[in-house]
Amino acid sequence: MTVSIPYSTTQFASLEQALKHYFGYDSFRPGQRQIIEYTLHDRDLLVIMPTGGGKSLCFQLPALLKEGVMIVVSPLIALMQDQVQALQNNGIPATLLNSSIGFGESQSRQAAILDRKIKLVYVAPERLLSESFLGFMDQVKARVGISAFAIDEAHCVSEWGHDFRPEYRQLQRLRQRYQNDDRVIPILALTATATERVRHDILGQLELQDPHVHVASFNRPNLYYEVRPKGSQKQAYVELFQQVQQTQGAGIIYCLSRKRVDEVTARLQQDGISALPYHAGLSDAVRRENQDKFIRDDARVMVATVAFGMGINKPDVRFVIHYDLPRNIEGYYQESGRAGRDGEPSRCTLFYGAGDIKTVEFLIAQKVDPASGEPLEEEQRIATQQLRRVINYAEATECRRTIQLGYFGEDFPGNCGTCDNCCHPKPIEDWTLEAQKFLSCVARFAQRDQRFGLNHTIDVLRGSKNDRVLKNGHDKLSTYGIGKDRSAEQWRLLGRSLIHQRLLDETSDGYSMLQLNDLSWDILRKQRSVMVAIDPVKPGDVLAPSKVDAAEVEALYDRLQKLRKHLADEQSVPPYVVFPNSSLRSMATAQPQTLAQFAKISGVGSRKLAQYSEPFITEIRAFRTERGLPLQTETGTVPQATPSTAPPTRASETQLQTLALYQEGLEPADIAERRNFRLGTIMSHLAELLELGYPIDLDDLVPLDRQDKIMHAINTVGPDALGSIREHLGEMYGYDEIRLVRSRWRRETA
Ligand code: ADP
Ligand code: ZN
């Protein structure tokens, strides 16, 4: 498949070159290249990739290389907006059409499409299939051509998926309408939902023809999975708090109920963590606001019910904690999978306590037919089975990945190296003797035709004198007090382990009575031994092995993050739209000081190079200056004579072009327009030129009184961190004018 790629543009020698140009990445993720090649060859495709696998690129890059426009169908407006924004930020001509856009704007976007100014059009399914829009599409097809239909979140066509949307069913009409021609317009369906049933539905519903089906592994190697024991409520919160404190970056904490969300949020806030709640009890406006704050890094932690997360496009979530038990494994996989979409190491923690099992069981018992009040037995049965699997997962001693992936039908060999069970294998101990004591106690009850639960059995074993023990005369049993040598917690561990190993039964009538089975009798007859995994985990000692970077890299990374946040706020976009964390990390490590070096950073494409190289390079150089590290120009290294000012000796080519236009008398805005650059970029050219001693008239650019205030601020907080100078001045001052005045300051103090 590597021969004769039918590019519409011959601009690129290879797909890699196109990838670097538009998206700034050096290489494809597994699967992407092949999918892109098939798309370029007009093949129908079904792409199944886990969240964060990089599905979007699979249709975005071909859209740019093919003739015509690509129509992208996506169910959530917020998600579409994010994607379009991110594309536009990369200088990619994309737009979106939905009902929230006014008539005028909508008309002008449609005109731009017919004018061949757009390569990707995002549209909601209901809009796409309206008569008027279909009419418009016919026009598009005739005048510009449609390169393909990309159906994102394609599982929405299936009633078997977790997110069925009836409008998606209508998408069949696309195939019917656009196939009896010279060319069948290909359909590219994408989803992160793995089950066979849903897959089958997508193929059928969308009438894909001889499709190539790409199923990626669902393994997410950058996620560290762990289960931590959850003690009493009070203890549990302390552990949660410690974990949040020890982990850097943004995180989500899932709780089972609204009440719990509110409690946990309030406590975290009291303890100085910037946390916000999200659940169905809050108004739409509040939810939207909290979500935005989280996405924009204005709040670090989102405490939420499972209502939160679908369609949240935040790639740099560093941890997901399930403070309560998830209801099933698939749900757990999806929710925990919201961590680390950017591929950076992230942590997924499940807090597991026996008390939670009761809560979930209670919720399951509430599943009744609202009309008749009869229990929905089928649903209850399925839910109970799913709960059992979650418990098995939580209590397992083998590789967590093996269990999760096994659930999706994927064989995983184990030994992943990034789960608690692989990193800290639990010691297994022979507890046969204890098991015999425990089971014989249950047998004594049975002899009297009695049944009791775990706690009462433990009370008897430990010789408790509580009412229930005395009233039942259980202090007279031969097993009374034979287990004083072990703590109640140890007996509970054994009891649960027996149940999960199916060496003892527990009634599922809601009372959880213990009951011997055949295997229990084998143990009592000394025909079977009992091994129990001892959980030696102490709070706080299972932190994922994290790379400790040199302090210098961390310090710079920190500064770059602040700069990114300021730039993002200036444009009202989430920080990751400016650069993903991985790019910042490469910058902190590589410390590019010239355009050529900066262009090599992963995530820096042509647009971002133009838009952001100046502020980031400036920040990196300032950082190096402060630390007395040598600075570089496009041509060579400049040894630092005076640490705070060591300008490159000569302006760069691009700065000189700006200078030429400036000297023709153009305003900065006009220069920006003429050169097709952001105004900010031109302003930083002027600042750099000024600093180098070129004739730039600062008074023309920044009023005198503002110059004075900025000079004063620089004298107070120092010249190096733009962010700090701005913080000192307040929001009425912009980066451009600060940068310009700083150049004056530097020239004057050099
Ligand atoms: P999905 O839609 O499958 O959940 P996305 O398309 O949102 O995933 O991609 C997840 C992240 O991975 C994004 O930040 C994206 O920019 C990044 N990404 C995608 N492809 C590559 C690549 N080839 N190299 C580096 N990063 C990539
Ligand atoms: Zn493992």
Side-chain angles (χ1 to χ4, degrees), residues 398-402 412 414-423:
E398 68 253 59
C399 174
R400 308 269 181 215
R401 280 192 161 68
T402 304
F412 187 80
N415 269 324
C416 73
T418 41
C419 78
D420 52 354
N421 286 342
C422 289
C423 291

Side-chain angles (χ1 to χ4, degrees), residues 19 23 25-29 32 49-57 60 83 152-153 192 313 315 341-343 576 580 582 602:
L19 175 72
F23 297 95
Y25 300 132
D26 294 319
S27 56
F28 289 103
R29 294 245 182 97
Q32 282 179 333
M49 258 190 201
T51 304
K55 282 184 288 301
S56 317
L57 206 104
Q60 288 167 347
Q83 286 216 3
D152 209 359
E153 313 289 347
N313 192 10
R341 292 180 57 158
D342 55 7
Y576 69 82
S582 54
S602 174

Side-chain angles (χ1 to χ4, degrees), residues 228-230 236 239-240 243 321-323 349-353 356:
R228 296 184 56 174
K230 183 174 172 182
E239 285 179 25
L240 175 77
Q243 174 123 4
I321 296 175
H322 279 73
Y323 193 48
T349 309
L350 169 61
F351 275 87
Y352 172 66
D356 289 347

